[in-house]
């Protein structure tokens, strides 16, 4: 048994999901003729109470399309220092949009309305035009922390007051929704655009959606084509996405429970210095200084457990759909006996 805790992207489609995929009726989505893609887009639109949605191959693409549509070259994008849009998208903010980022030191990945207010440039010719705010919920690099609904509402307010657009990198928004218990429609109200991933905790093999108003999605559809993301018989993938939204949201609570249990075990181990607070399905912990993280990861690998280093002494575990209670017990056993 291989236990893969590197990411929640490692899941394989279940039998039910595969059945849905293989029985999909498909068409050419560049012509707008794939019934499953259209149904998935409509489902996501309604879920968040917006006007339209766009199916894309990855969350990097949905984020980058959003940034492209919301900004002009030379603009400034405000985001947390740990943000995926800044750290893990290949420099896309500048590469694709000719914009730059101003990084904000948030509270474990979460920036506040006051911080946004303080970071907006006045309108002098020589200053960069602040135009977009990107939030990440849950925050990945920061350990799966999530925003409260009130925090998101305050951020929306400060953006509207200052004529900024606000985008949500919601690669793991369903983890936040399940844990915090806020309705998706209320989340939708807080943002001009939302990116969601089907290929993370929801267990689909491929796919993300960009959600917003009609005019925004019309522009996004053009940019998707330019970025090479126009897909043809994408309904096989969209069928997996529909299955994921229908079946795999509520069960994320199990992933959170297992993550918290695993964190409690990690707390009890002498060779672990600290564990970041676990709010959803991501566990980041720091090994004691005397432990070499590469050796530690190799020892886990020798015992069929895959994990990734997260800088310096930090290791990340992510729980997911294919991580069972038996696997949890096995990981705990290995950790208690590793030396
Ligand atoms: C995974 C992830 C994305 C998108 O990643 P892709 O691999 O391109 O789908 C975006 N934002 C966050 C926070 C992520 O964790």
């Amino acid at each position: 048994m291989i236990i893969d805790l590197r990411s929640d992207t490692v899941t394989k489609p279940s039998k039910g999901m595969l059945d849905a995929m293989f029985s999909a009726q498909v068409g050419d989505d560049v012509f707008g003729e794939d019934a499953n893609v259209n149904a998935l887009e409509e489902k996501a639109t309604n879920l968040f109470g917006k006007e339209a949605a766009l199916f894309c191959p990855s969350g990097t693409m949905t984020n980058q399309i959003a940034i492209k549509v919301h900004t002009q070259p030379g603009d400034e994008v405000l985001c947390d220092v740990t943000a995926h849009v800044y750290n893990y998208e290949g420099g896309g903010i500048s590469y694709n949009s000719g914009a730059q980022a101003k990084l904000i030191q948030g509270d474990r990945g979460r920036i506040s309305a006051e911080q946004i207010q303080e970071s907006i440039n006045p309108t002098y010719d020589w200053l960069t035009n602040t135009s977009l705010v990107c939030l990440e919920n849950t925050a990945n690099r920061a350990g799966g922390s999530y925003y409260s609904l009130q925090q998101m509402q305050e951020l929306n307010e400060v953006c509207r007051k200052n004529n900024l657009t606000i985008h949500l990198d919601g690669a793991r928004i369903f983890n936040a929704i399940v844990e915090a218990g806020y309705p998706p429609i209320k989340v939708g109200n807080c943002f001009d655009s939302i990116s969601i991933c089907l290929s993370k905790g929801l267990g689909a093999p491929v796919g993300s959606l960009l959600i917003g108003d009609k005019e925004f999605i019309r522009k996004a559809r053009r940019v998707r084509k330019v970025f090479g993301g126009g897909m043809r018989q994408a309904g096989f993938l969209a069928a997996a996405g529909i299955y994921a939204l229908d079946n795999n949201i509520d069960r994320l609570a199990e992933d959170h429970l297992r993550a918290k249990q695993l964190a409690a075990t990690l707390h009890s181990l002498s060779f672990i210095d600290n564990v970041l607070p676990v709010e959803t399905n991501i566990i980041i912990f720091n090994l004691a200084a005397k432990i070499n993280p590469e050796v530690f990861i190799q020892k886990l690998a020798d015992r069929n457990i895959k994990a990734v280093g997260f800088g310096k002494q930090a290791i990340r575990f992510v729980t997911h759909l294919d991580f069972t209670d038996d696997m949890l017990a096995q990981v705990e056993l290995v950790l208690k006996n590793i030396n």
Side-chain angles (χ1 to χ4, degrees):
M1 168 167 80
I2 303 279
I3 302 174
D4 199 338
L5 290 168
R6 288 173 302 171
S7 176
D8 44 9
T9 56
V10 301
T11 56
K12 310 238 167 86
S14 62
K15 170 84 171 58
M17 184 178 279
L18 284 172
D19 286 346
M21 294 170 76
F22 282 124
S23 58
Q25 299 294 310
V26 295
D28 188 329
D29 180 51
V30 172
F31 292 122
E33 289 174 0
D34 189 295
N36 277 276
V37 171
N38 293 339
L40 173 63
E41 290 175 348
E42 193 182 332
K43 200 174 186 64
T45 301
N46 293 337
L47 195 52
F48 288 93
K50 301 301 250 189
E51 291 176 6
L54 186 69
F55 185 49
C56 292
S58 73
T60 298
M61 188 180 282
T62 43
N63 281 333
Q64 290 300 319
I65 291 172
I67 293 165
K68 182 81 180 160
V69 174
H70 288 312
T71 63
Q72 293 299 315
D75 279 3
E76 195 156 81
V77 177
L78 304 179
C79 62
D80 183 80
V81 286
T82 62
H84 195 282
V85 291
Y86 176 75
N87 291 284
Y88 300 125
E89 299 186 6
I93 294 174
S94 56
Y95 192 103
N96 296 316
S97 299
Q100 66 188 33
K102 183 185 276 177
L103 302 179
I104 297 173
Q105 182 75 55
D107 164 30
R108 284 188 293 124
R110 293 161 301 191
I111 52 186
S112 69
E114 298 78 59
Q115 287 179 307
I116 295 299
Q117 186 66 59
E118 290 164 5
S119 305
I120 299 167
N121 285 334
T123 53
Y124 294 116
D125 286 348
W126 53 90
L127 292 178
T128 317
N129 178 43
T130 313
S131 67
L132 172 66
V133 172
C134 289
L135 301 194
E136 188 173 313
N137 193 14
T138 67
N140 173 3
R141 168 107 220 159
S145 52
Y146 60 87
Y147 285 88
S148 70
L149 185 59
Q150 192 186 334
Q151 286 171 319
M152 292 188 285
Q153 287 166 338
E154 287 168 6
L155 283 152
N156 173 269
E157 217 165 284
V158 78
C159 287
R160 277 201 294 188
K161 205 173 75 195
N162 292 282
N163 265 325
L164 308 180
T165 48
I166 180 165
H167 169 73
L168 172 65
D169 177 355
R172 294 190 180 81
I173 189 59
F174 293 105
N175 294 88
I177 284 168
V178 164
E179 190 65 23
Y182 32 67
I185 290 214
K186 295 224 162 153
V187 176
N189 280 338
C190 296
F191 299 96
D192 296 297
S193 58
I194 298 177
S195 159
I196 65 169
C197 285
L198 303 165
S199 55
K200 298 270 165 81
L202 298 186
V206 176
S208 290
L209 285 143
L210 185 58
I211 308 158
D213 68 27
K214 280 205 174 100
E215 182 58 12
F216 169 80
I217 293 296
R218 187 189 64 75
K219 292 176 183 160
R221 208 178 157 85
R222 282 192 70 85
V223 176
R224 182 185 68 173
K225 196 75 181 84
V226 175
F227 284 0
M231 298 183 284
R232 301 294 175 172
Q233 284 70 36
F236 295 114
L237 299 174
I242 292 168
Y243 184 92
L245 291 175
D246 283 342
N247 295 281
N248 293 343
I249 294 178
D250 292 343
R251 63 148 307 285
L252 291 170
E254 292 176 32
D255 298 343
H256 301 173
L257 220 56
R258 292 189 186 105
K260 285 169 191 172
Q261 206 177 315
L262 199 45
T265 301
L266 290 165
H267 268 299
S268 72
L269 301 172
S270 60
F271 59 90
I272 288 170
D273 251 10
N274 59 71
V275 187
L276 285 191
V278 173
E279 298 187 18
T280 53
N281 70 327
I282 299 176
I283 307 148
I284 297 176
F285 58 96
N286 284 289
L287 297 165
K290 63 174 196 284
I291 309 282
N292 178 323
E294 275 155 38
V295 173
F296 178 78
I297 288 170
Q298 188 55 51
K299 279 186 185 175
L300 288 178
D302 293 343
R303 291 156 180 82
N304 291 330
I305 298 169
K306 296 185 182 183
V308 288
F310 230 48
K312 294 188 185 157
Q313 292 299 100
I315 307 286
R316 186 184 76 167
F317 288 164
V318 186
T319 61
H320 52 74
L321 186 58
D322 292 350
F323 178 68
T324 62
D325 279 332
D326 285 349
M327 292 178 180
L328 173 61
Q330 176 65 15
V331 172
E332 289 178 320
L333 190 69
V334 165
L335 285 169
K336 283 174 184 162
N337 292 293
I338 213 162
N339 52 48

